[in-house]
Amino acid sequence: MLHFLTRTPPQEINEKVGVLLKIDVTELMNHRSDEIKFDYTFDPAHTDVPCVEMPSDVTIAEGGIRVVGELYDTLGSMMFKAHVTVNYTTPCARCLDDAHALLEFDVERMVITDRSSLSNDDHLTDDGEWDGEGEDVICVNEARIIPDADIMEEISLSLPSFVLCSEDCPGLCPKCGKHLRDGDCGCKEEKYINPKLAILQKLLENQE
């Protein structure tokens, strides 16, 4: 049996935040359903759980994150699997104008009902140091899960460090700062001259 869940669009989330951003897993927990499908949108400003902060130069519009996936039972365990699409803007790495970018990735988490089953020693080395890995799990709270924090974390880890407004963006003039796509700025290109040979360059210019 399949159970479908579609969350309310972003414009309606503002009034009912804290209710619509929770996925009810009662059907799975009671084995009345084998699968719950979901398709919803959200953004960092409209979620009711603490999430990792995005870089200051990244802007995600209202409803800019779309999450499409399913919760399903596998051998008595619940799994969360989703495809995430993120529409965002960030400065172009060459001209600094706003670049509109699209980020897509998949998220998969095990869903657990008992947080105490997570041992603090699971990710310790023999020397008692943290091994740098975290738990890929989502905990159920009052028969519901809120995956937004996990999704935001994956977004922060997946954001590229180099985004262009267009593949052929020529950037800015390094001397005057004018957009080179608007045409030649008239600045003379300055070539690097080894200081030890600078006196020879002056002699050549005097001969001209």
Side-chain angles (χ1 to χ4, degrees):
M1 179 187 300
L2 298 182
H3 179 68
F4 293 87
L5 170 66
T6 301
R7 295 192 188 181
T8 305
Q11 60 269 22
E12 298 180 28
I13 288 178
N14 294 333
E15 300 176 359
K16 298 182 179 180
V17 68
V19 176
L20 298 177
L21 295 180
K22 296 179 181 179
I23 301 177
D24 193 331
V25 296
T26 304
E27 297 292 321
L28 277 178
M29 294 175 64
N30 294 336
H31 305 291
R32 292 197 295 264
S33 175
D34 297 324
E35 189 175 31
I36 299 174
K37 291 186 178 294
F38 50 85
D39 183 350
Y40 69 96
T41 61
F42 79 101
D43 58 83
H46 298 119
T47 181
D48 53 357
V49 293
C51 297
V52 63
E53 291 187 6
M54 291 292 98
S56 58
D57 59 352
V58 171
T59 302
I60 300 176
E62 182 174 342
I65 304 170
R66 184 179 182 186
V67 185
V68 181
E70 59 187 356
L71 279 157
Y72 59 93
D73 184 283
T74 172
L75 300 177
S77 299
M78 287 187 291
M79 296 296 297
F80 171 93
K81 189 174 184 179
H83 182 73
V84 180
T85 305
V86 186
N87 286 285
Y88 69 99
T89 58
T90 189
C92 172
R94 290 179 183 167
C95 70
L96 302 181
D97 283 353
D98 283 346
H100 299 275
L102 178 68
L103 174 66
E104 295 187 73
F105 58 89
D106 294 319
V107 177
E108 189 168 358
R109 296 285 190 273
M110 178 179 289
V111 179
I112 63 173
T113 57
D114 184 10
R115 184 182 295 271
S116 64
S117 63
L118 297 177
S119 172
N120 294 330
D121 298 331
D122 287 345
H123 293 291
L124 297 181
T125 65
D126 293 338
D127 297 330
E129 299 290 336
W130 180 49
D131 63 7
E133 297 183 6
E135 297 287 352
D136 289 334
V137 299
I138 298 176
C139 296
V140 175
N141 184 18
E142 297 181 352
R144 291 172 173 80
I145 66 168
I146 306 177
D148 299 350
D150 291 77
I151 292 170
M152 290 299 298
E153 181 180 11
E154 291 294 334
I155 292 174
S156 67
L157 295 173
S158 303
L159 286 171
S161 57
F162 191 88
V163 176
L164 298 177
C165 60
S166 64
E167 293 184 1
D168 58 349
C169 175
L172 304 174
C173 171
K175 190 171 184 179
C176 70
K178 180 181 178 181
H179 284 80
L180 296 179
R181 66 166 172 267
D182 296 334
D184 185 12
C185 61
C187 293
K188 182 179 179 181
E189 182 180 357
E190 296 182 356
K191 297 181 180 180
Y192 172 76
I193 301 176
N194 190 316
K196 296 180 179 179
L197 303 178
I199 188 172
L200 295 179
Q201 177 67 24
K202 291 182 179 181
L203 290 174
L204 291 174
E205 292 176 352
N206 292 333
Q207 290 178 358
E208 293 177 357

